[in-house]
Amino acid sequence: GVGCYWGPHHPRNAGFPLDEGQKTNNTAELRAAIYAIENDPDPLECRQDSAYVVDGINLRLEEWRRLNFRPKLRASEEISNFKLWQRLSNSLLKRKPDTVRFVWVKGHTTPEQLLSHEVTPFNHAGNDAADALATVGIQAQPVTTSKCYKAHEGTFEFLNK
């Protein structure tokens, strides 16, 4: 599933199933990025635990655009998940320049990593919340503002509103 988390009880929080093509972690992370870009017109810092997406956007997207999402070696080859990358690219191009920033955060952290400050509690909680929304989204039951959750001792409890 796909999970996007802005903050407690935020109206844009969402979890939904993957609806197209291969259903992998990478496609879920790309769909989350697309959802965030297309549903938040404000300046946005998108924090993801996917180096695939963050590095793809920050290090490779300009070159992929230039190559029309085809690698240099064979014109008939395509970048993995190229349709999602193209949609993400087009969504970014529709926004004002420099209004979206992608940052990698460590996912699936341990208490030791939190105590050592390797991971901030804010990033940990946000990542866990997005994962929880994605888990609910797998069940093909889209979750939006009608279902919210609250932080409680490091776990998330779903509440029906």
Side-chain angles (χ1 to χ4, degrees), residues 9 136 143-149 157-161:
H9 306 288
V136 172
V143 178
T144 59
T145 55
S146 63
K147 291 188 179 183
C148 299
Y149 45 87
E157 173 184 337
F158 283 88
L159 304 172
N160 290 320
K161 292 279 182 188

Side-chain angles (χ1 to χ4, degrees), residues 122-144:
F122 178 76
N123 286 343
H124 174 68
N127 188 266
D128 281 357
D131 286 348
L133 285 165
T135 298
V136 172
I138 289 171
Q139 300 166 13
Q141 298 295 323
V143 178
T144 59

Side-chain angles (χ1 to χ4, degrees), residues 43-61:
L44 179 64
E45 180 173 277
C46 191
R47 298 172 186 215
Q48 287 197 317
D49 64 359
S50 171
Y52 172 75
V53 172
V54 175
D55 289 348
I57 291 168
N58 292 333
L59 304 176
R60 297 181 188 96
L61 191 58

